[in-house]
């Protein structure tokens, strides 16, 4: 069964299905339950992390771009920031933007608000079609650009230095472009990631375990750590135009005030992520390489993580990435890599973390495929809690649908029905279309060996 199930779960783990199945005669989504939405989280300030580590991370985030280019000057918005939403967005996108801005005010202490006048706004979030975005940025889910106010200006200036972040003296106007023909969750994720970069650091660091400033995409909404980074960015001791050494001189004082918990915590001192490892991971998970090249790149990422002393969540992510890219061709090896990744994530973060939950989805599928339903539930239950905390509706859909299928096989028909309805409700938030929800439900129904109704 492993040879059959892993390609299916590769599709479940992806943002879009990689395998199409024939539509059910009686789709589960014929009568759709209301879309589920995540409740407001309690206000969180500060993190239980060493301020020594955060000191180094802040400087690495702030004075470099993702390309590796060095930024000479610290920049931010000076004064209150206004945000406008333009384009044909679904109403829930406006709600999620308002929730995010409220969090930024309450947790990061930012003076930020939403306005209707896009012409006067500091940050404009413009909705465009996915096709338009792909023409300009083929590999981007959404983009953030300085010094422009709309898509037309961006198109005219895209090959000039107008959009060069490294040439800024101060941030005054930024545009975010995101597709309108995506799921509500994908739209919300764009808002979190791009607003975080419009306001704060422009770099991403794979060594961060709990941040959207990390291209592993496990954390998809701004964390307490991210809010701390934004609070530091807008501390009164800082101003646009400061050099790196000037920021470093006042940063310990800012950290003592904004994160007192971190003063007495020993530094982990994780090694910096090498460019070679980053390139290998991006080649493994990118779309430009062929399958053979992607598998070779994933193996290189595992080897580099070991040899360079990245014996932390980055090694787990390398195993996870290799599991994903080898699942169709070598499912037995992929199963071993998923197990290695799961063990590393449990050891690093515990069973109720989003890294563990994403890998737990794969482990549960393997258990289901061999009819080890009790073991599958042991992976699913903590992963459901982690997915709720991480506000990941797409992951919640898959986990609840798997739990529903296990209950159906076990004869708990009414409980199974309710779980499936809850899964679909989260799917309406995390997945773009009802047809895709039906496809994924069909994939999950094919995980388990065929047993009689009520069988054990």
């Amino acid at each position: 069964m492993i040879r059959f199930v892993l390609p299916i779960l590769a599709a479940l783990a992806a943002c879009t299905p990689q395998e199409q199945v024939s539509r059910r005669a009686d789709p589960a989504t014929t009568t759709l339950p209301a879309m589920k939405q995540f409740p407001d989280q309690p206000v969180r300030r500060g993190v239980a992390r060493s301020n020594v580590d955060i000191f180094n991370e802040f400087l690495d985030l702030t004075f470099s771009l993702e390309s590796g280019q060095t930024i000479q000057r610290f920049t931010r918005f000076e004064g209150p920031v206004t945000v406008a939403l333009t384009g044909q967005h679904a109403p829930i996108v406006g709600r999620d933007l308002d929730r995010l801005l409220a969090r930024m005010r309450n947790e990061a202490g930012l003076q930020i608000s939403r306005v209707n006048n896009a012409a006067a706004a500091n940050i404009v979030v413009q909705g465009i079609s996915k096709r338009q975005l792909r023409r300009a940025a083929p590999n981007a889910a959404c983009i953030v650009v300085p010094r422009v106010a709309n898509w037309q200006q961006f198109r005219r200036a895209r090959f000039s230095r107008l959009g060069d972040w490294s040439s800024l003296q101060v941030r005054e106007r930024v545009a975010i472009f995101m597709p309108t023909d995506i799921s509500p969750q994908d739209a919300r994720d764009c808002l979190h990631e791009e607003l975080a970069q419009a306001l704060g650091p422009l770099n991403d660091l794979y060594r961060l375990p709990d941040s959207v400033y990390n291209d592993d995409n496990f954390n998809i909404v701004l964390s307490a750590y991210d809010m701390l980074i934004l609070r530091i960015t807008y501390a009164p001791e800082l101003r646009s135009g400061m050099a790196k050494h000037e920021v470093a001189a006042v940063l310990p004082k800012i950290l003592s005030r904004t994160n007192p918990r971190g003063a007495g915590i020993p530094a982990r001192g994780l090694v910096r992520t090498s460019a070679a490892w980053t390139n290998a991971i991006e080649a493994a998970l990118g779309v430009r390489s062929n399958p053979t090249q992607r598998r070779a790149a994933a193996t290189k990422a595992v080897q580099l993580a070991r040899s360079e002393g990245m014996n932390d969540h980055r090694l787990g992510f390398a195993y996870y990435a290799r599991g994903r890219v080898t699942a169709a061709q070598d499912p037995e090896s992929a199963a071993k890599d998923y197990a290695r990744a799961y063990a590393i994530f449990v050891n690093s973060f515990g069973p109720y973390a989003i890294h563990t939950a994403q890998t737990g989805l794969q482990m549960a599928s393997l258990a289901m495929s061999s009819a080890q339903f009790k073991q599958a539930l042991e992976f699913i239950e903590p992963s459901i809690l982690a997915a709720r905390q991480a506000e990941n509706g797409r992951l919640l859909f898959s986990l609840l649908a798997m739990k529903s299928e296990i209950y159906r096989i076990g004869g708990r028909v009414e409980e199974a029905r309710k779980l499936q309805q809850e899964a679909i409700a989260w799917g309406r938030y995390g997945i773009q279309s009802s047809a895709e929800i039906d496809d994924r439900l069909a994939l999950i129904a094919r995980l388990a060996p065929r047993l009689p109704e009520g069988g054990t």
Side-chain angles (χ1 to χ4, degrees), residues 73-77 165 168-171 199-200 233 240-241:
R73 293 174 294 274
F74 172 80
T75 64
R76 68 181 186 187
F77 289 96
W165 287 97
L168 287 180
Q169 301 290 332
V170 62
R171 302 186 198 186
L199 291 160
T233 300
S240 293

Side-chain angles (χ1 to χ4, degrees), residues 76-82 110-112 122 170-171 199 234:
R76 68 181 186 187
F77 289 96
E78 300 295 342
V81 180
T82 54
L110 302 187
Q111 292 180 281
I112 189 167
N122 300 111
V170 62
R171 302 186 198 186
L199 291 160
Y234 286 85

Side-chain angles (χ1 to χ4, degrees), residues 57-77:
E57 291 159 1
F58 183 84
L59 294 178
D60 287 348
L61 283 168
T62 303
F63 288 95
S64 295
L65 296 174
E66 290 183 63
S67 63
Q69 182 181 0
T70 299
I71 297 177
Q72 300 298 326
R73 293 174 294 274
F74 172 80
T75 64
R76 68 181 186 187
F77 289 96

Side-chain angles (χ1 to χ4, degrees), residues 58 74-81 104 108-112 122-123 165 170-172 174 195-201 213 226-240 251 254 257-258:
F58 183 84
F74 172 80
T75 64
R76 68 181 186 187
F77 289 96
E78 300 295 342
V81 180
M104 287 178 166
L110 302 187
Q111 292 180 281
I112 189 167
N122 300 111
I123 301 174
W165 287 97
V170 62
R171 302 186 198 186
E172 296 175 331
V174 173
L195 266 173
Q197 292 200 316
L199 291 160
Y213 293 109
D226 298 326
M227 291 297 179
L228 174 62
I229 292 297
L230 290 175
R231 181 177 285 273
I232 295 168
T233 300
Y234 286 85
E237 293 90 340
L238 301 180
R239 66 186 183 280
S240 293
L251 195 50
I254 297 172
R257 184 182 70 252
T258 57

Side-chain angles (χ1 to χ4, degrees), residues 251-263:
L251 195 50
K253 176 184 175 183
I254 297 172
L255 282 165
S256 295
R257 184 182 70 252
T258 57
N259 194 47
R261 281 191 291 171

Side-chain angles (χ1 to χ4, degrees), residues 72-130:
Q72 300 298 326
R73 293 174 294 274
F74 172 80
T75 64
R76 68 181 186 187
F77 289 96
E78 300 295 342
V81 180
T82 54
V83 182
L85 185 65
T86 67
Q88 301 300 313
H89 297 281
I92 192 172
V93 176
R95 173 192 175 273
D96 280 341
L97 174 59
D98 290 337
R99 286 185 66 218
L100 175 57
L101 297 182
R103 282 193 61 203
M104 287 178 166
R105 290 190 294 269
N106 294 331
E107 295 181 44
L110 302 187
Q111 292 180 281
I112 189 167
S113 59
R114 184 177 168 192
V115 296
N116 294 323
N117 184 5
N122 300 111
I123 301 174
V124 175
V125 182
Q126 182 175 350
I128 58 175
S129 71
K130 194 183 300 182

